[in-house]
PDB file of all heavy atoms in Angstrom:
ATOM      1  N   GLU A  70      -6.883 -76.747  -2.307  1.00 98.00           N
ATOM      2  CA  GLU A  70      -7.174 -78.183  -2.516  1.00 98.00           C
ATOM      3  C   GLU A  70      -8.371 -78.616  -1.688  1.00 98.00           C
ATOM      4  O   GLU A  70      -9.254 -79.339  -2.147  1.00 98.00           O
ATOM      5  CB  GLU A  70      -5.959 -79.036  -2.115  1.00 98.00           C
ATOM      6  CG  GLU A  70      -4.784 -78.936  -3.072  1.00 98.00           C
ATOM      7  CD  GLU A  70      -5.194 -79.297  -4.499  1.00 98.00           C
ATOM      8  OE1 GLU A  70      -5.947 -80.274  -4.658  1.00 98.00           O
ATOM      9  OE2 GLU A  70      -4.784 -78.588  -5.435  1.00 98.00           O
ATOM     10  N   GLU A  74     -12.035 -80.141  -2.770  1.00 98.00           N
ATOM     11  CA  GLU A  74     -12.612 -81.405  -2.261  1.00 98.00           C
ATOM     12  C   GLU A  74     -14.025 -81.200  -1.733  1.00 98.00           C
ATOM     13  O   GLU A  74     -14.956 -81.929  -2.065  1.00 98.00           O
ATOM     14  CB  GLU A  74     -11.771 -81.893  -1.074  1.00 98.00           C
ATOM     15  CG  GLU A  74     -10.737 -82.944  -1.397  1.00 98.00           C
ATOM     16  CD  GLU A  74      -9.845 -83.157  -0.164  1.00 98.00           C
ATOM     17  OE1 GLU A  74     -10.361 -83.232   0.982  1.00 98.00           O
ATOM     18  OE2 GLU A  74      -8.633 -83.215  -0.376  1.00 98.00           O
ATOM     19  N   THR A  96     -22.151 -73.531  13.333  1.00 98.00           N
ATOM     20  CA  THR A  96     -21.500 -74.187  14.475  1.00 98.00           C
ATOM     21  C   THR A  96     -20.001 -73.926  14.439  1.00 98.00           C
ATOM     22  O   THR A  96     -19.381 -73.590  15.456  1.00 98.00           O
ATOM     23  CB  THR A  96     -21.775 -75.711  14.432  1.00 98.00           C
ATOM     24  OG1 THR A  96     -23.188 -75.885  14.384  1.00 98.00           O
ATOM     25  CG2 THR A  96     -21.199 -76.438  15.629  1.00 98.00           C
ATOM     26  N   GLY A 136     -40.564 -45.770   7.788  1.00 97.00           N
ATOM     27  CA  GLY A 136     -41.050 -45.180   9.040  1.00 97.00           C
ATOM     28  C   GLY A 136     -40.070 -45.329  10.185  1.00 97.00           C
ATOM     29  O   GLY A 136     -40.318 -44.856  11.293  1.00 97.00           O
ATOM     30  N   ILE A 161     -29.674 -41.187   9.514  1.00 98.00           N
ATOM     31  CA  ILE A 161     -29.223 -40.014  10.267  1.00 98.00           C
ATOM     32  C   ILE A 161     -27.707 -40.057  10.324  1.00 98.00           C
ATOM     33  O   ILE A 161     -27.125 -41.069  10.751  1.00 98.00           O
ATOM     34  CB  ILE A 161     -29.789 -40.047  11.714  1.00 98.00           C
ATOM     35  CG1 ILE A 161     -31.325 -40.037  11.673  1.00 98.00           C
ATOM     36  CG2 ILE A 161     -29.270 -38.876  12.542  1.00 98.00           C
ATOM     37  CD1 ILE A 161     -31.946 -40.674  12.876  1.00 98.00           C
ATOM     38  N   ARG A 178     -26.250 -37.197  22.527  1.00 98.00           N
ATOM     39  CA  ARG A 178     -27.311 -36.194  22.275  1.00 98.00           C
ATOM     40  C   ARG A 178     -28.069 -36.537  20.989  1.00 98.00           C
ATOM     41  O   ARG A 178     -29.294 -36.462  20.948  1.00 98.00           O
ATOM     42  CB  ARG A 178     -26.692 -34.792  22.140  1.00 98.00           C
ATOM     43  CG  ARG A 178     -26.528 -34.074  23.483  1.00 98.00           C
ATOM     44  CD  ARG A 178     -26.309 -32.575  23.279  1.00 98.00           C
ATOM     45  NE  ARG A 178     -25.193 -32.255  22.396  1.00 98.00           N
ATOM     46  CZ  ARG A 178     -23.907 -32.204  22.792  1.00 98.00           C
ATOM     47  NH1 ARG A 178     -23.593 -32.459  24.048  1.00 98.00           N
ATOM     48  NH2 ARG A 178     -22.946 -31.892  21.937  1.00 98.00           N
ATOM     49  N   LYS A 184     -33.833 -40.662  18.466  1.00 98.00           N
ATOM     50  CA  LYS A 184     -34.402 -41.956  18.863  1.00 98.00           C
ATOM     51  C   LYS A 184     -34.385 -42.956  17.700  1.00 98.00           C
ATOM     52  O   LYS A 184     -35.440 -43.462  17.268  1.00 98.00           O
ATOM     53  CB  LYS A 184     -35.828 -41.796  19.381  1.00 98.00           C
ATOM     54  CG  LYS A 184     -35.943 -40.825  20.543  1.00 98.00           C
ATOM     55  CD  LYS A 184     -37.323 -40.899  21.153  1.00 98.00           C
ATOM     56  CE  LYS A 184     -37.589 -39.802  22.173  1.00 98.00           C
ATOM     57  NZ  LYS A 184     -36.453 -39.337  22.963  1.00 98.00           N
ATOM     58  N   PRO A 203     -14.349 -49.827  24.193  1.00 97.00           N
ATOM     59  CA  PRO A 203     -15.547 -50.537  24.680  1.00 97.00           C
ATOM     60  C   PRO A 203     -16.442 -49.656  25.548  1.00 97.00           C
ATOM     61  O   PRO A 203     -17.675 -49.763  25.476  1.00 97.00           O
ATOM     62  CB  PRO A 203     -14.976 -51.697  25.518  1.00 97.00           C
ATOM     63  CG  PRO A 203     -13.529 -51.792  25.175  1.00 97.00           C
ATOM     64  CD  PRO A 203     -13.106 -50.528  24.487  1.00 97.00           C
ATOM     65  N   ALA A 213     -28.960 -45.708  23.623  1.00 98.00           N
ATOM     66  CA  ALA A 213     -29.938 -46.215  22.646  1.00 98.00           C
ATOM     67  C   ALA A 213     -31.091 -46.921  23.361  1.00 98.00           C
ATOM     68  O   ALA A 213     -32.249 -46.838  22.925  1.00 98.00           O
ATOM     69  CB  ALA A 213     -29.251 -47.156  21.664  1.00 98.00           C
ATOM     70  N   PHE A 230      -7.609 -57.428  12.896  1.00 98.00           N
ATOM     71  CA  PHE A 230      -6.392 -56.634  12.704  1.00 98.00           C
ATOM     72  C   PHE A 230      -6.150 -55.674  13.867  1.00 98.00           C
ATOM     73  O   PHE A 230      -5.170 -54.934  13.874  1.00 98.00           O
ATOM     74  CB  PHE A 230      -6.493 -55.813  11.407  1.00 98.00           C
ATOM     75  CG  PHE A 230      -6.667 -56.665  10.183  1.00 98.00           C
ATOM     76  CD1 PHE A 230      -7.908 -56.872   9.620  1.00 98.00           C
ATOM     77  CD2 PHE A 230      -5.566 -57.289   9.610  1.00 98.00           C
ATOM     78  CE1 PHE A 230      -8.073 -57.674   8.496  1.00 98.00           C
ATOM     79  CE2 PHE A 230      -5.716 -58.092   8.485  1.00 98.00           C
ATOM     80  CZ  PHE A 230      -6.971 -58.282   7.935  1.00 98.00           C
ATOM     81  N   ARG A 314       0.933 -52.915   8.363  1.00 98.00           N
ATOM     82  CA  ARG A 314       0.083 -51.744   8.667  1.00 98.00           C
ATOM     83  C   ARG A 314       0.842 -50.785   9.594  1.00 98.00           C
ATOM     84  O   ARG A 314       0.882 -49.575   9.350  1.00 98.00           O
ATOM     85  CB  ARG A 314      -1.217 -52.244   9.310  1.00 98.00           C
ATOM     86  CG  ARG A 314      -2.245 -51.216   9.732  1.00 98.00           C
ATOM     87  CD  ARG A 314      -2.188 -50.799  11.196  1.00 98.00           C
ATOM     88  NE  ARG A 314      -1.824 -51.767  12.178  1.00 98.00           N
ATOM     89  CZ  ARG A 314      -2.674 -52.603  12.812  1.00 98.00           C
ATOM     90  NH1 ARG A 314      -3.938 -52.642  12.518  1.00 98.00           N
ATOM     91  NH2 ARG A 314      -2.223 -53.404  13.762  1.00 98.00           N
ATOM     92  N   VAL A 318       2.082 -46.843   8.911  1.00 98.00           N
ATOM     93  CA  VAL A 318       1.798 -45.697   9.797  1.00 98.00           C
ATOM     94  C   VAL A 318       3.109 -44.975  10.118  1.00 98.00           C
ATOM     95  O   VAL A 318       3.218 -43.746   9.969  1.00 98.00           O
ATOM     96  CB  VAL A 318       1.102 -46.172  11.100  1.00 98.00           C
ATOM     97  CG1 VAL A 318       1.019 -45.048  12.118  1.00 98.00           C
ATOM     98  CG2 VAL A 318      -0.289 -46.720  10.783  1.00 98.00           C
ATOM     99  N   LEU A 321       4.717 -43.354   6.862  1.00 98.00           N
ATOM    100  CA  LEU A 321       3.943 -42.199   6.376  1.00 98.00           C
ATOM    101  C   LEU A 321       4.189 -40.990   7.279  1.00 98.00           C
ATOM    102  O   LEU A 321       4.330 -39.857   6.810  1.00 98.00           O
ATOM    103  CB  LEU A 321       2.449 -42.535   6.348  1.00 98.00           C
ATOM    104  CG  LEU A 321       1.971 -43.329   5.131  1.00 98.00           C
ATOM    105  CD1 LEU A 321       0.585 -43.920   5.380  1.00 98.00           C
ATOM    106  CD2 LEU A 321       1.925 -42.449   3.880  1.00 98.00           C
ATOM    107  N   GLU A 330      -4.579 -42.956  13.594  1.00 96.00           N
ATOM    108  CA  GLU A 330      -4.230 -44.223  14.260  1.00 96.00           C
ATOM    109  C   GLU A 330      -5.021 -45.365  13.619  1.00 96.00           C
ATOM    110  O   GLU A 330      -6.212 -45.195  13.341  1.00 96.00           O
ATOM    111  CB  GLU A 330      -4.639 -44.093  15.733  1.00 96.00           C
ATOM    112  CG  GLU A 330      -3.716 -44.750  16.720  1.00 96.00           C
ATOM    113  CD  GLU A 330      -2.267 -44.306  16.580  1.00 96.00           C
ATOM    114  OE1 GLU A 330      -1.961 -43.135  16.827  1.00 96.00           O
ATOM    115  OE2 GLU A 330      -1.456 -45.165  16.184  1.00 96.00           O
ATOM    116  N   ASP A 343      -5.692 -30.671  -2.533  1.00 97.00           N
ATOM    117  CA  ASP A 343      -6.442 -31.215  -3.663  1.00 97.00           C
ATOM    118  C   ASP A 343      -6.330 -32.756  -3.610  1.00 97.00           C
ATOM    119  O   ASP A 343      -5.395 -33.350  -4.139  1.00 97.00           O
ATOM    120  CB  ASP A 343      -5.863 -30.658  -4.976  1.00 97.00           C
ATOM    121  CG  ASP A 343      -6.705 -31.068  -6.188  1.00 97.00           C
ATOM    122  OD1 ASP A 343      -7.517 -32.013  -6.062  1.00 97.00           O
ATOM    123  OD2 ASP A 343      -6.548 -30.448  -7.252  1.00 97.00           O
ATOM    124  N   THR A 344      -7.303 -33.356  -2.927  1.00 97.00           N
ATOM    125  CA  THR A 344      -7.246 -34.799  -2.662  1.00 97.00           C
ATOM    126  C   THR A 344      -7.309 -35.603  -3.960  1.00 97.00           C
ATOM    127  O   THR A 344      -6.598 -36.602  -4.124  1.00 97.00           O
ATOM    128  CB  THR A 344      -8.425 -35.203  -1.747  1.00 97.00           C
ATOM    129  OG1 THR A 344      -8.495 -34.242  -0.695  1.00 97.00           O
ATOM    130  CG2 THR A 344      -8.233 -36.570  -1.142  1.00 97.00           C
ATOM    131  N   ALA A 371      -3.259 -52.138   3.539  1.00 98.00           N
ATOM    132  CA  ALA A 371      -1.946 -52.781   3.709  1.00 98.00           C
ATOM    133  C   ALA A 371      -1.839 -53.926   2.716  1.00 98.00           C
ATOM    134  O   ALA A 371      -2.692 -54.821   2.683  1.00 98.00           O
ATOM    135  CB  ALA A 371      -1.796 -53.288   5.143  1.00 98.00           C
ATOM    136  N   GLU A 375       6.184 -55.745  -0.746  1.00 98.00           N
ATOM    137  CA  GLU A 375       6.592 -55.140  -2.027  1.00 98.00           C
ATOM    138  C   GLU A 375       5.562 -54.087  -2.470  1.00 98.00           C
ATOM    139  O   GLU A 375       5.933 -53.014  -2.952  1.00 98.00           O
ATOM    140  CB  GLU A 375       6.720 -56.206  -3.132  1.00 98.00           C
ATOM    141  CG  GLU A 375       7.761 -57.298  -2.864  1.00 98.00           C
ATOM    142  CD  GLU A 375       7.343 -58.288  -1.768  1.00 98.00           C
ATOM    143  OE1 GLU A 375       6.117 -58.563  -1.647  1.00 98.00           O
ATOM    144  OE2 GLU A 375       8.219 -58.764  -1.024  1.00 98.00           O
TER     145      GLU A 375
END
Side-chain angles (χ1 to χ4, degrees):
E70 288 304 318
E74 262 171 43
T96 305
I161 300 154
R178 273 197 305 277
K184 303 190 189 327
F230 300 99
R314 179 264 325 272
V318 170
L321 279 165
E330 217 54 66
D343 186 343
T344 314
E375 299 72 33

